[in-house]
Amino acid sequence: MEINKIYNMDCLEGMKQLDDNTVDSVVTDPPYGLGFMGKEWDTFDKNQFGKKGNEGKNDLKVKKDFKILPRYKTDGLYDFTLSWSQEALRALKPGGHLLAFAGSRTYHKIACAIEDAGFEIRDQIMWIYGSGFPKSLNISKAIDKKLGNEISEWEGWGTALKPAHEPIVLARKPLSEKTVAENVLKWGTAGINIDECRFEGEGWSRSGKGRFPANVILDEEAGKVLDEQSGELTSHGGGTASYGGIFGNGSEITDKTAMKRFANDKGGASRFFYCPKASKSERNEGLEGFEVINQHPTVKPIDLMRYLIRLVTLPGGIVLDPFVGSGTTGIAAYFEQKNFIGFEKEQEYVDIAQARMNYYKKQKKLTYTDGKKKQKNQQLENFLKK
Ligand SMILES: C[S@@+](CC[C@H](N)C(=O)[O-])C[C@H]1O[C@@H](n2cnc3c(N)ncnc32)[C@H](O)[C@@H]1O
C-alpha cells in the first residue's frame, strides 16, 4: 500500500492489504461504542437503541430511547475492537506500540479486546479535559412527569457524572527477540521516546532536560483548574511528599539532571503534566471552501496527537490510523516527520481530512513552541520541502 495516504475504506478490509511487520506504530481514536451523538459508526449493539428500522442509518434516535434501556451492551464493541486490533497486531513490527483512545464507560471492553488480540497492555494514559457536558437524566423531573407531582423526594438525583477524561490504552506487540535491546536493534521498535517527550513550561522540551512524561495529560482548562486547587507548590528534588517528587522527578531512569534542574521550582501542580494547547480555529483550518465545516464530533487537538505519535514512533517511521475521522493523526504525523497510512470509511470525513492535511502542507504551518524553536522549524521546513 502507498504511504502518506488516506484510504476511503473500511479498515477491516483495508488493513488486510498491509504486509506483516511493516508499521512502526498505531495511534488511533477508534469508535468507543457509545452511540456518540447518534452516529451509526459508534454503535455496535443496535438493539440497545430500541426502535427497529433505525439500524444502519447515520443518526439513530439515541437520546430518546437510550434512557429506557435496562442495560448498556458492549459485546459488539468488543468483537469489533478485537477484529481491528488483530489486523493492527499483524501489521505492526514486533515491539511496536498501539495507542488507542477509549470512552470512560467502555474502556474495559476496548482494553480487553486489544489484549485478547495478542497485545501486551503496558499502561493507561489519562487524557483529562475541562470541556465535557454531563448528560444526566433529572430523576426528580422524570418522576414528576410520570406521577404528576410537583416536588418529589428525588430532587437533585441524576444518572451521570460530568465527563472529564478519556483513557488511552498503551499496548505493545510482543517482542520477536529475547530482549528489548535486541528488538530495538532489529526493528527500531519496543521503546518509548522519553527524552523527546519531556516538557517544560509552555510546551515540550526537545533538549532532553524537561520533565519526565507522565501517564496523565491535561488540556489547558483542566490544567488551570488543577492550578487553582493546588495553589503554588515548590518541588523538592526527588522527595516524595509533593507532586514534584511523585510526578516530576521520581523516575526510575536516571533523571538526575531534571531532578537538580527542577529542585525548588515553583508553580501550580499542572506543571508536572504535559498540557497541549488547542487553538479554537485548528479544527476548521483548510476547510474554507467547504459548505459544511468540520462537524466531526470527536476531533482531537493536533498537539496532543503529535505528542502521542512522538512517544511511540521512530523518526521516519510509519504511523497507522485505522479511524482517521477528520484527519488529526495524519496532520500530527506530518508535523512529526513520520509517514502515515489512514483508513476512513465515510467519504465526507475523508474529504475533510484531506483538505485539512493539504492546508498544513501548503501553509507549511509550523507549530513548535519550545526553546529550540528556530532550529526545529528549520528542520521541519526542510522536511516539508522534500
Ligand atoms: C472517533 S472518530 C476519529 C476522530 C479523529 N480523532 C479526529 O480528530 O477527527 C472515528 C472515525 O472512525 C470512522 N470509522 C468507524 N468505523 C470504521 C471502519 N470500520 N473503518 C474505517 N473507519 C471507520 C468513523 O467514520 C469516524 O470518523
Side-chain angles (χ1 to χ4, degrees), residues 9-12 29-32 41 80 294 296 298-300 321-329 343-346 349 356:
M9 290 175 89
D10 187 316
C11 68
L12 295 179
D29 182 18
Y32 302 170
W41 55 258
F80 175 72
N294 183 7
H296 203 289
T298 62
V299 181
K300 293 287 184 293
D321 182 357
F323 304 99
V324 164
S326 65
T328 315
T329 315
F343 298 100
E344 170 55 57
K345 67 175 184 178
E346 305 288 339
Y349 294 146
R356 288 181 77 209

mmCIF file of all heavy atoms in Angstrom, residues 9-12 29-32 41 80 294 296 298-300 321-329 343-346 349 356, ligand 1:
data_model
loop_
_atom_site.group_PDB
_atom_site.id
_atom_site.type_symbol
_atom_site.label_atom_id
_atom_site.label_comp_id
_atom_site.label_asym_id
_atom_site.label_seq_id
_atom_site.Cartn_x
_atom_site.Cartn_y
_atom_site.Cartn_z
ATOM 1 N N MET A 9 -11.875 3.514 2.955
ATOM 2 C CA MET A 9 -12.194 2.080 3.045
ATOM 3 C C MET A 9 -12.577 1.726 4.463
ATOM 4 O O MET A 9 -12.154 2.404 5.411
ATOM 5 C CB MET A 9 -10.950 1.240 2.734
ATOM 6 C CG MET A 9 -10.494 1.247 1.327
ATOM 7 S SD MET A 9 -8.941 0.321 1.215
ATOM 8 C CE MET A 9 -9.554 -1.327 0.921
ATOM 9 N N ASP A 10 -13.291 0.631 4.588
ATOM 10 C CA ASP A 10 -13.483 0.040 5.906
ATOM 11 C C ASP A 10 -12.113 -0.493 6.335
ATOM 12 O O ASP A 10 -11.477 -1.241 5.588
ATOM 13 C CB ASP A 10 -14.501 -1.105 5.793
ATOM 14 C CG ASP A 10 -14.872 -1.643 7.158
ATOM 15 O OD1 ASP A 10 -13.953 -1.834 7.985
ATOM 16 O OD2 ASP A 10 -16.060 -1.871 7.403
ATOM 17 N N CYS A 11 -11.673 -0.118 7.523
ATOM 18 C CA CYS A 11 -10.305 -0.506 7.915
ATOM 19 C C CYS A 11 -10.161 -2.016 8.061
ATOM 20 O O CYS A 11 -9.060 -2.551 7.932
ATOM 21 C CB CYS A 11 -9.887 0.213 9.184
ATOM 22 S SG CYS A 11 -10.789 -0.304 10.649
ATOM 23 N N LEU A 12 -11.254 -2.706 8.313
ATOM 24 C CA LEU A 12 -11.149 -4.165 8.470
ATOM 25 C C LEU A 12 -10.744 -4.808 7.143
ATOM 26 O O LEU A 12 -10.048 -5.804 7.096
ATOM 27 C CB LEU A 12 -12.478 -4.758 8.964
ATOM 28 C CG LEU A 12 -12.916 -4.319 10.358
ATOM 29 C CD1 LEU A 12 -14.243 -4.950 10.739
ATOM 30 C CD2 LEU A 12 -11.853 -4.640 11.400
ATOM 31 N N ASP A 29 -8.009 6.897 17.316
ATOM 32 C CA ASP A 29 -9.158 7.302 18.125
ATOM 33 C C ASP A 29 -10.342 6.507 17.569
ATOM 34 O O ASP A 29 -11.095 7.006 16.741
ATOM 35 C CB ASP A 29 -9.331 8.821 17.912
ATOM 36 C CG ASP A 29 -10.453 9.411 18.724
ATOM 37 O OD1 ASP A 29 -10.894 8.775 19.689
ATOM 38 O OD2 ASP A 29 -10.885 10.531 18.382
ATOM 39 N N PRO A 30 -10.494 5.272 17.987
ATOM 40 C CA PRO A 30 -11.486 4.394 17.356
ATOM 41 C C PRO A 30 -12.884 4.658 17.906
ATOM 42 O O PRO A 30 -13.039 5.414 18.865
ATOM 43 C CB PRO A 30 -11.009 3.004 17.800
ATOM 44 C CG PRO A 30 -10.396 3.230 19.133
ATOM 45 C CD PRO A 30 -9.779 4.602 19.095
ATOM 46 N N PRO A 31 -13.899 4.036 17.328
ATOM 47 C CA PRO A 31 -15.231 4.140 17.928
ATOM 48 C C PRO A 31 -15.219 3.595 19.355
ATOM 49 O O PRO A 31 -14.575 2.594 19.637
ATOM 50 C CB PRO A 31 -16.078 3.252 17.010
ATOM 51 C CG PRO A 31 -15.357 3.240 15.706
ATOM 52 C CD PRO A 31 -13.903 3.287 16.068
ATOM 53 N N TYR A 32 -15.923 4.309 20.265
ATOM 54 C CA TYR A 32 -15.970 3.897 21.674
ATOM 55 C C TYR A 32 -17.216 3.061 21.978
ATOM 56 O O TYR A 32 -17.420 2.646 23.111
ATOM 57 C CB TYR A 32 -16.029 5.110 22.608
ATOM 58 C CG TYR A 32 -14.896 6.103 22.509
ATOM 59 C CD1 TYR A 32 -14.988 7.322 23.175
ATOM 60 C CD2 TYR A 32 -13.738 5.826 21.795
ATOM 61 C CE1 TYR A 32 -13.965 8.244 23.119
ATOM 62 C CE2 TYR A 32 -12.711 6.751 21.733
ATOM 63 C CZ TYR A 32 -12.831 7.965 22.388
ATOM 64 O OH TYR A 32 -11.819 8.886 22.338
ATOM 65 N N TRP A 41 -21.556 4.908 13.157
ATOM 66 C CA TRP A 41 -20.222 4.305 13.250
ATOM 67 C C TRP A 41 -19.787 4.047 14.682
ATOM 68 O O TRP A 41 -18.798 3.363 14.930
ATOM 69 C CB TRP A 41 -19.177 5.134 12.500
ATOM 70 C CG TRP A 41 -19.050 6.589 12.887
ATOM 71 C CD1 TRP A 41 -19.548 7.662 12.203
ATOM 72 C CD2 TRP A 41 -18.371 7.144 14.026
ATOM 73 N NE1 TRP A 41 -19.230 8.836 12.843
ATOM 74 C CE2 TRP A 41 -18.512 8.550 13.954
ATOM 75 C CE3 TRP A 41 -17.650 6.607 15.097
ATOM 76 C CZ2 TRP A 41 -17.970 9.418 14.915
ATOM 77 C CZ3 TRP A 41 -17.116 7.471 16.055
ATOM 78 C CH2 TRP A 41 -17.282 8.855 15.956
ATOM 79 N N PHE A 80 -15.820 -5.971 17.550
ATOM 80 C CA PHE A 80 -15.276 -5.066 16.540
ATOM 81 C C PHE A 80 -13.830 -4.688 16.882
ATOM 82 O O PHE A 80 -12.935 -4.730 16.035
ATOM 83 C CB PHE A 80 -16.154 -3.803 16.454
ATOM 84 C CG PHE A 80 -15.607 -2.757 15.528
ATOM 85 C CD1 PHE A 80 -15.640 -2.939 14.144
ATOM 86 C CD2 PHE A 80 -15.046 -1.587 16.023
ATOM 87 C CE1 PHE A 80 -15.130 -1.981 13.280
ATOM 88 C CE2 PHE A 80 -14.527 -0.629 15.169
ATOM 89 C CZ PHE A 80 -14.567 -0.821 13.799
ATOM 90 N N ASN A 294 -16.050 21.558 9.585
ATOM 91 C CA ASN A 294 -15.709 20.295 10.245
ATOM 92 C C ASN A 294 -16.611 20.040 11.446
ATOM 93 O O ASN A 294 -16.387 20.556 12.530
ATOM 94 C CB ASN A 294 -14.241 20.331 10.670
ATOM 95 C CG ASN A 294 -13.808 19.021 11.294
ATOM 96 O OD1 ASN A 294 -14.550 18.055 11.306
ATOM 97 N ND2 ASN A 294 -12.588 19.003 11.797
ATOM 98 N N HIS A 296 -17.037 17.075 12.605
ATOM 99 C CA HIS A 296 -16.721 15.794 13.211
ATOM 100 C C HIS A 296 -16.778 15.955 14.723
ATOM 101 O O HIS A 296 -16.146 16.837 15.291
ATOM 102 C CB HIS A 296 -15.340 15.293 12.775
ATOM 103 C CG HIS A 296 -15.237 13.819 12.908
ATOM 104 N ND1 HIS A 296 -15.167 13.221 14.143
ATOM 105 C CD2 HIS A 296 -15.273 12.829 12.000
ATOM 106 C CE1 HIS A 296 -15.137 11.908 13.959
ATOM 107 N NE2 HIS A 296 -15.200 11.649 12.667
ATOM 108 N N THR A 298 -15.637 14.328 17.240
ATOM 109 C CA THR A 298 -14.628 13.856 18.199
ATOM 110 C C THR A 298 -13.207 14.296 17.823
ATOM 111 O O THR A 298 -12.265 13.562 18.031
ATOM 112 C CB THR A 298 -14.669 12.315 18.303
ATOM 113 O OG1 THR A 298 -14.341 11.784 17.016
ATOM 114 C CG2 THR A 298 -16.017 11.798 18.714
ATOM 115 N N VAL A 299 -13.103 15.500 17.279
ATOM 116 C CA VAL A 299 -11.786 15.984 16.844
ATOM 117 C C VAL A 299 -10.835 16.131 18.046
ATOM 118 O O VAL A 299 -11.203 16.683 19.070
ATOM 119 C CB VAL A 299 -11.921 17.364 16.152
ATOM 120 C CG1 VAL A 299 -10.559 17.864 15.670
ATOM 121 C CG2 VAL A 299 -12.894 17.282 14.988
ATOM 122 N N LYS A 300 -9.615 15.642 17.878
ATOM 123 C CA LYS A 300 -8.621 15.733 18.949
ATOM 124 C C LYS A 300 -7.636 16.868 18.641
ATOM 125 O O LYS A 300 -7.380 17.163 17.476
ATOM 126 C CB LYS A 300 -7.837 14.403 19.035
ATOM 127 C CG LYS A 300 -8.686 13.221 19.489
ATOM 128 C CD LYS A 300 -9.000 13.315 20.958
ATOM 129 C CE LYS A 300 -9.753 12.157 21.534
ATOM 130 N NZ LYS A 300 -11.106 11.954 21.097
ATOM 131 N N ASP A 321 -3.309 4.872 11.287
ATOM 132 C CA ASP A 321 -4.554 5.229 11.982
ATOM 133 C C ASP A 321 -5.713 4.614 11.206
ATOM 134 O O ASP A 321 -6.079 5.094 10.136
ATOM 135 C CB ASP A 321 -4.717 6.752 12.064
ATOM 136 C CG ASP A 321 -5.987 7.138 12.833
ATOM 137 O OD1 ASP A 321 -6.742 6.229 13.236
ATOM 138 O OD2 ASP A 321 -6.229 8.345 13.019
ATOM 139 N N PRO A 322 -6.314 3.536 11.737
ATOM 140 C CA PRO A 322 -7.425 2.892 11.023
ATOM 141 C C PRO A 322 -8.708 3.721 11.057
ATOM 142 O O PRO A 322 -9.634 3.434 10.319
ATOM 143 C CB PRO A 322 -7.633 1.579 11.790
ATOM 144 C CG PRO A 322 -6.479 1.445 12.738
ATOM 145 C CD PRO A 322 -5.934 2.814 12.960
ATOM 146 N N PHE A 323 -8.774 4.756 11.919
ATOM 147 C CA PHE A 323 -10.011 5.536 12.091
ATOM 148 C C PHE A 323 -9.691 7.025 11.992
ATOM 149 O O PHE A 323 -9.643 7.749 12.987
ATOM 150 C CB PHE A 323 -10.651 5.209 13.446
ATOM 151 C CG PHE A 323 -10.921 3.744 13.631
ATOM 152 C CD1 PHE A 323 -10.044 2.946 14.353
ATOM 153 C CD2 PHE A 323 -12.022 3.149 13.038
ATOM 154 C CE1 PHE A 323 -10.276 1.576 14.501
ATOM 155 C CE2 PHE A 323 -12.265 1.791 13.174
ATOM 156 C CZ PHE A 323 -11.398 1.004 13.909
ATOM 157 N N VAL A 324 -9.507 7.481 10.766
ATOM 158 C CA VAL A 324 -8.964 8.806 10.508
ATOM 159 C C VAL A 324 -9.876 9.941 10.954
ATOM 160 O O VAL A 324 -9.408 10.970 11.437
ATOM 161 C CB VAL A 324 -8.647 8.928 8.992
ATOM 162 C CG1 VAL A 324 -8.460 10.364 8.568
ATOM 163 C CG2 VAL A 324 -7.404 8.110 8.665
ATOM 164 N N GLY A 325 -11.190 9.806 10.800
ATOM 165 C CA GLY A 325 -12.105 10.912 11.114
ATOM 166 C C GLY A 325 -11.719 12.129 10.315
ATOM 167 O O GLY A 325 -11.510 12.059 9.101
ATOM 168 N N SER A 326 -11.551 13.269 10.985
ATOM 169 C CA SER A 326 -11.216 14.485 10.249
ATOM 170 C C SER A 326 -9.697 14.676 10.106
ATOM 171 O O SER A 326 -9.238 15.760 9.772
ATOM 172 C CB SER A 326 -11.857 15.696 10.918
ATOM 173 O OG SER A 326 -11.307 15.882 12.191
ATOM 174 N N GLY A 327 -8.938 13.638 10.399
ATOM 175 C CA GLY A 327 -7.539 13.615 9.959
ATOM 176 C C GLY A 327 -6.490 14.144 10.918
ATOM 177 O O GLY A 327 -5.339 14.359 10.508
ATOM 178 N N THR A 328 -6.828 14.326 12.188
ATOM 179 C CA THR A 328 -5.869 14.944 13.108
ATOM 180 C C THR A 328 -4.582 14.122 13.245
ATOM 181 O O THR A 328 -3.485 14.682 13.294
ATOM 182 C CB THR A 328 -6.520 15.159 14.489
ATOM 183 O OG1 THR A 328 -7.819 15.711 14.276
ATOM 184 C CG2 THR A 328 -5.711 16.113 15.344
ATOM 185 N N THR A 329 -4.686 12.804 13.303
ATOM 186 C CA THR A 329 -3.483 11.976 13.445
ATOM 187 C C THR A 329 -2.562 12.168 12.236
ATOM 188 O O THR A 329 -1.334 12.236 12.382
ATOM 189 C CB THR A 329 -3.855 10.473 13.568
ATOM 190 O OG1 THR A 329 -4.937 10.341 14.471
ATOM 191 C CG2 THR A 329 -2.683 9.644 14.048
ATOM 192 N N PHE A 343 -7.163 4.957 7.300
ATOM 193 C CA PHE A 343 -8.405 4.449 6.714
ATOM 194 C C PHE A 343 -9.585 5.199 7.316
ATOM 195 O O PHE A 343 -9.596 5.498 8.523
ATOM 196 C CB PHE A 343 -8.568 2.951 7.000
ATOM 197 C CG PHE A 343 -7.489 2.114 6.400
ATOM 198 C CD1 PHE A 343 -6.424 1.669 7.166
ATOM 199 C CD2 PHE A 343 -7.507 1.799 5.043
ATOM 200 C CE1 PHE A 343 -5.400 0.908 6.617
ATOM 201 C CE2 PHE A 343 -6.486 1.044 4.472
ATOM 202 C CZ PHE A 343 -5.429 0.595 5.263
ATOM 203 N N GLU A 344 -10.545 5.500 6.481
ATOM 204 C CA GLU A 344 -11.775 6.144 6.957
ATOM 205 C C GLU A 344 -12.898 5.705 6.022
ATOM 206 O O GLU A 344 -12.781 5.834 4.814
ATOM 207 C CB GLU A 344 -11.607 7.675 6.956
ATOM 208 C CG GLU A 344 -12.872 8.475 7.189
ATOM 209 C CD GLU A 344 -13.630 8.112 8.475
ATOM 210 O OE1 GLU A 344 -13.050 8.181 9.564
ATOM 211 O OE2 GLU A 344 -14.825 7.730 8.365
ATOM 212 N N LYS A 345 -13.971 5.201 6.615
ATOM 213 C CA LYS A 345 -14.998 4.627 5.735
ATOM 214 C C LYS A 345 -16.001 5.641 5.208
ATOM 215 O O LYS A 345 -16.669 5.390 4.220
ATOM 216 C CB LYS A 345 -15.696 3.452 6.420
ATOM 217 C CG LYS A 345 -16.529 3.794 7.605
ATOM 218 C CD LYS A 345 -17.240 2.546 8.097
ATOM 219 C CE LYS A 345 -18.169 2.890 9.226
ATOM 220 N NZ LYS A 345 -18.920 1.785 9.738
ATOM 221 N N GLU A 346 -16.098 6.811 5.841
ATOM 222 C CA GLU A 346 -17.052 7.829 5.358
ATOM 223 C C GLU A 346 -16.350 8.804 4.412
ATOM 224 O O GLU A 346 -15.399 9.486 4.820
ATOM 225 C CB GLU A 346 -17.649 8.625 6.522
ATOM 226 C CG GLU A 346 -18.314 7.808 7.613
ATOM 227 C CD GLU A 346 -19.644 7.204 7.190
ATOM 228 O OE1 GLU A 346 -20.242 7.726 6.218
ATOM 229 O OE2 GLU A 346 -20.066 6.223 7.817
ATOM 230 N N TYR A 349 -15.806 12.431 5.630
ATOM 231 C CA TYR A 349 -14.690 12.685 6.545
ATOM 232 C C TYR A 349 -13.350 12.606 5.820
ATOM 233 O O TYR A 349 -12.411 13.329 6.147
ATOM 234 C CB TYR A 349 -14.705 11.691 7.710
ATOM 235 C CG TYR A 349 -15.890 11.852 8.629
ATOM 236 C CD1 TYR A 349 -16.476 10.755 9.250
ATOM 237 C CD2 TYR A 349 -16.447 13.110 8.883
ATOM 238 C CE1 TYR A 349 -17.569 10.891 10.091
ATOM 239 C CE2 TYR A 349 -17.539 13.255 9.719
ATOM 240 C CZ TYR A 349 -18.095 12.146 10.320
ATOM 241 O OH TYR A 349 -19.177 12.296 11.149
ATOM 242 N N ARG A 356 -7.802 19.275 5.302
ATOM 243 C CA ARG A 356 -7.039 19.789 6.459
ATOM 244 C C ARG A 356 -5.555 19.484 6.291
ATOM 245 O O ARG A 356 -4.693 20.321 6.533
ATOM 246 C CB ARG A 356 -7.548 19.144 7.760
ATOM 247 C CG ARG A 356 -8.902 19.643 8.201
ATOM 248 C CD ARG A 356 -9.309 18.978 9.516
ATOM 249 N NE ARG A 356 -8.640 19.531 10.682
ATOM 250 C CZ ARG A 356 -8.377 18.848 11.798
ATOM 251 N NH1 ARG A 356 -8.701 17.570 11.885
ATOM 252 N NH2 ARG A 356 -7.794 19.432 12.815
HETATM 253 C C1 LIG B 1 -13.642 8.789 16.871
HETATM 254 S S1 LIG B 1 -13.646 9.170 15.189
HETATM 255 C C2 LIG B 1 -11.990 9.770 14.901
HETATM 256 C C3 LIG B 1 -11.867 11.276 15.021
HETATM 257 C C4 LIG B 1 -10.477 11.815 14.858
HETATM 258 N N1 LIG B 1 -9.702 11.559 16.033
HETATM 259 C C5 LIG B 1 -10.458 13.318 14.600
HETATM 260 O O1 LIG B 1 -9.729 14.048 15.298
HETATM 261 O O2 LIG B 1 -11.189 13.770 13.723
HETATM 262 C C6 LIG B 1 -13.731 7.592 14.469
HETATM 263 C C7 LIG B 1 -13.860 7.579 12.965
HETATM 264 O O3 LIG B 1 -13.752 6.211 12.537
HETATM 265 C C8 LIG B 1 -14.569 6.019 11.391
HETATM 266 N N2 LIG B 1 -14.859 4.585 11.313
HETATM 267 C C9 LIG B 1 -15.690 3.845 12.081
HETATM 268 N N3 LIG B 1 -15.655 2.552 11.734
HETATM 269 C C10 LIG B 1 -14.749 2.441 10.738
HETATM 270 C C11 LIG B 1 -14.244 1.353 9.972
HETATM 271 N N4 LIG B 1 -14.675 0.110 10.153
HETATM 272 N N5 LIG B 1 -13.299 1.612 9.035
HETATM 273 C C12 LIG B 1 -12.844 2.874 8.819
HETATM 274 N N6 LIG B 1 -13.295 3.959 9.505
HETATM 275 C C13 LIG B 1 -14.237 3.746 10.453
HETATM 276 C C14 LIG B 1 -15.784 6.895 11.658
HETATM 277 O O4 LIG B 1 -16.425 7.259 10.457
HETATM 278 C C15 LIG B 1 -15.164 8.086 12.398
HETATM 279 O O5 LIG B 1 -14.903 9.143 11.517
#
